[in-house]
Amino acid sequence: MAIDSSSREDHPGPSIKRKPSLSKGTSGGTGTAKEVSDLKKATFHQTRQIKDWEADDRDVPPAQNPVVCSADWAYQATDLVKIDEEGVRAAADYINKSLETNSYTPRTWRIHSLHICPPEPYSPAEPQTKKCLDWIFLIASLNFSFWSEKDDNDRYGVEWREGWESSKYRIWTGYWSLVAAINRALEEDIPIIDSAFYSSSELCSDALIEYVFRPCHRSKEDLPMLKDRISIMRENGNILCEKFGGSFQNFIQEFQRKHQNRGTALQLVQMATETFPTFRDETHYKGHKLYFWKRAQIMIAETWAAFYPPSPAGPHPLFPAGAAIHQLTMFADYRVPQIMHHLRILAYPPALTATLQAGALLETGCREEVSIRAASILGVERMREEIAKMRRGDEEGGKDAVSSVVIDFYLWDLAKSVEGGGESVGVIQTVEMVPAHRMRSIWY
């Protein structure tokens, strides 16, 4: 089973019907005195931690990921999606056994046929190292909103090889259509991962980018939000060129210099969100600023996995003092919450289930969206804790360590496998798979 970390989506359900939010950001009632008190305590705790983080010297590792602090507060403030502790324990046991049985590790990233992998042993001077990093950066920049109202034959797809080493062709859909289109362009000698190229409308016109992402013959739609993607390519490419000599490798080297080769994955995520506004996945709910950072975290997690050393005991070439990858959370999108609900890790109230089944298009920052994303983050954190207990190991880099990143990778792969009929989770109790929540956004 290949790590399919990158974006998520695909075909979440029936056609879109706009439907009002269940509450437009209200908590759905006054609640008991204890619930109000708990929320006030959570508000104080979350606000203090976020303010402490915002005031921090970024050279000092933060005590906790602000995404976790945000999720903790939002989970209580929205009071909608719930974490089922029985489901958490059952799923954690199932996932733990599956990870061990299938030898599912960060190195699994390297086996996917469409990935561009760096050379081993690590060599910063090798052109393939820069190529891999620039490829990861562009894909992470465009890694959002692939779902379609159309059926599998009509939806956006890209025809390309089954892999870099294959002579057979197939049609790729969803997130993999993005990867296939970029790979196809590289094969056609279009330098699409060169920021100096794609940031320039003279060198790389909108028409050329449209050509790069052209659909296959059977598709009856184009890549969703293509104009937004072009705008992001221009903006991110210009920032890389103006501040980092036009490469993501230089961005990482500046990070290493700044932190004297002791920086963590979370600090690199923070640097990405500070540098590139289009990675700043943040929203406000009831007057509180919430951090989700889906694409920023997944970009750094992909980078960590791509360069993960052959031996977990060896130093990571990009994080020689330790990545502290356990500080990153899952990547709150719409595909992983869907499988988490199926596994009974998350419990949806009937009204939310009805909204999803109706194919309603949610508004960014509405109660339902915030609650689903927050509960998903906390649900994976709970599973990580349970798996750590099972393995009696919780140190990043240790042989028994399991991060929320790897759990997320696994859950997304599992969702795709279950959807395609390739895997059944009948060994544990599940509920009916409901459509993923729908919205159009550059954040996921």
Side-chain angles (χ1 to χ4, degrees):
M1 186 183 295
I3 282 185
D4 198 354
S5 57
S6 304
S7 162
R8 302 73 94 94
E9 46 65 67
D10 277 272
H11 205 293
S15 60
I16 292 178
K17 302 172 185 175
R18 289 195 174 270
K19 182 174 180 178
S21 165
L22 292 181
S23 64
K24 297 279 187 179
T26 65
S27 62
T30 57
T32 66
K34 183 179 184 303
E35 288 170 341
V36 173
S37 175
D38 288 345
L39 181 55
K40 286 181 178 178
K41 290 178 182 177
T43 299
F44 173 77
H45 182 65
Q46 186 255 7
T47 301
R48 183 176 64 183
Q49 287 186 310
I50 293 296
K51 286 183 176 178
D52 287 347
W53 169 77
E54 290 176 336
D56 273 347
D57 176 355
R58 297 302 170 81
D59 292 335
V60 178
Q64 189 176 27
N65 190 334
V67 174
V68 177
C69 303
S70 293
D72 189 44
W73 181 87
Y75 178 76
Q76 296 187 58
T78 54
D79 191 27
L80 189 66
V81 178
K82 299 298 180 184
I83 296 172
D84 184 330
E85 287 296 330
E86 181 184 345
V88 166
R89 288 188 292 271
D93 181 64
Y94 173 82
I95 291 170
N96 182 44
K97 291 175 180 176
S98 186
L99 291 175
E100 292 181 330
T101 300
N102 296 309
S103 299
Y104 198 97
T105 73
R107 294 279 298 179
T108 309
W109 189 93
R110 298 180 65 92
I111 71 173
H112 197 282
S113 61
L114 295 194
H115 284 173
I116 292 179
C117 296
E120 289 187 322
Y122 173 71
S123 173
E126 281 283 342
Q128 187 74 1
T129 298
K130 178 181 182 297
K131 182 178 182 180
C132 172
L133 288 168
D134 286 339
W135 181 85
I136 288 174
F137 179 80
L138 179 60
I139 287 173
S141 296
L142 306 180
N143 182 0
F144 56 86
S145 201
F146 299 104
W147 61 268
S148 175
E149 297 179 69
K150 300 185 181 298
D151 62 31
D152 288 341
N153 288 326
D154 294 340
R155 66 178 305 187
Y156 175 76
V158 169
E159 187 171 7
W160 194 64
R161 300 177 185 275
E162 291 185 353
W164 283 102
E165 305 300 323
S166 176
S167 59
K168 295 182 179 179
Y169 283 73
R170 58 162 288 184
I171 294 175
W172 298 91
T173 59
Y175 160 74
W176 294 111
S177 65
L178 170 71
V179 179
I182 290 173
N183 290 353
R184 179 179 62 185
L186 292 173
E187 191 173 59
E188 294 173 345
D189 293 325
I190 300 172
I192 195 61
I193 62 174
D194 181 349
S195 60
F197 178 74
Y198 64 73
S199 64
S200 169
S201 58
E202 294 181 359
L203 296 175
C204 182
S205 66
D206 288 6
L208 179 56
I209 295 176
E210 291 170 1
Y211 171 78
V212 166
F213 294 111
R214 66 193 182 276
C216 67
H217 63 281
R218 76 181 191 191
S219 297
K220 296 183 179 178
E221 64 179 358
D222 293 325
L223 177 63
M225 302 182 71
L226 184 54
K227 289 184 178 180
D228 297 273
R229 297 178 203 273
I230 293 174
S231 176
I232 288 172
M233 291 173 72
R234 306 296 192 206
E235 179 177 332
N236 287 358
N238 276 320
I239 293 171
L240 272 187
C241 289
E242 291 171 4
K243 296 184 177 181
F244 304 100
S247 80
F248 188 46
Q249 183 177 26
N250 287 347
F251 174 83
I252 291 176
Q253 288 175 343
E254 171 60 21
F255 163 78
Q256 292 171 327
R257 183 202 62 76
K258 177 181 177 182
H259 293 279
Q260 299 179 325
N261 281 325
R262 301 192 64 82
T264 66
L266 178 55
Q267 287 174 310
L268 187 53
V269 168
Q270 291 167 338
M271 183 171 165
T273 62
E274 291 164 2
T275 305
F276 303 98
T278 62
F279 280 103
R280 212 169 289 158
D281 178 10
E282 301 163 4
T283 191
H284 284 82
Y285 185 79
K286 291 188 175 181
H288 289 265
K289 187 175 183 179
L290 303 176
Y291 301 82
F292 290 108
W293 291 352
K294 181 263 181 180
R295 288 195 295 108
Q297 289 198 102
I298 205 169
M299 176 171 68
I300 304 312
E302 293 257 13
T303 302
W304 167 76
F307 289 85
Y308 196 81
S311 170
H316 195 290
L318 304 184
F319 304 99
I325 201 70
H326 61 280
Q327 290 185 325
L328 300 194
T329 71
M330 62 83 71
F331 320 119
D333 60 359
Y334 37 87
R335 176 61 73 193
V336 172
Q338 182 187 35
I339 192 68
M340 290 176 71
H341 173 261
H342 178 61
L343 297 174
R344 297 189 307 118
I345 301 162
L346 302 181
Y348 292 169
L352 177 57
T353 299
T355 296
L356 299 179
Q357 289 175 334
L361 189 63
L362 301 183
E363 298 177 7
T364 301
C366 72
R367 182 189 179 201
E368 297 88 344
E369 188 221 9
V370 170
S371 185
I372 290 171
R373 298 187 84 189
S376 299
I377 291 165
L378 297 183
V380 171
E381 291 298 298
R382 281 289 299 115
M383 281 199 293
R384 180 172 69 86
E385 293 168 1
E386 288 297 319
I387 293 175
K389 291 177 185 177
M390 296 171 190
R391 297 191 176 194
R392 300 184 183 278
D394 196 26
E395 294 299 320
E396 192 265 342
K399 67 181 180 66
D400 292 327
V402 174
S403 66
S404 294
V405 167
V406 171
I407 294 172
D408 178 284
F409 285 172
Y410 175 82
L411 285 171
W412 195 80
D413 279 353
L414 178 63
K416 297 300 297 171
S417 183
V418 170
E419 180 188 49
E423 185 167 347
S424 171
V425 289
V427 295
I428 61 173
Q429 183 181 349
T430 59
V431 298
E432 178 185 1
M433 183 89 82
V434 300
H437 70 280
R438 285 183 160 192
M439 59 175 299
R440 287 294 185 199
S441 165
I442 70 165
W443 305 124
Y444 63 96

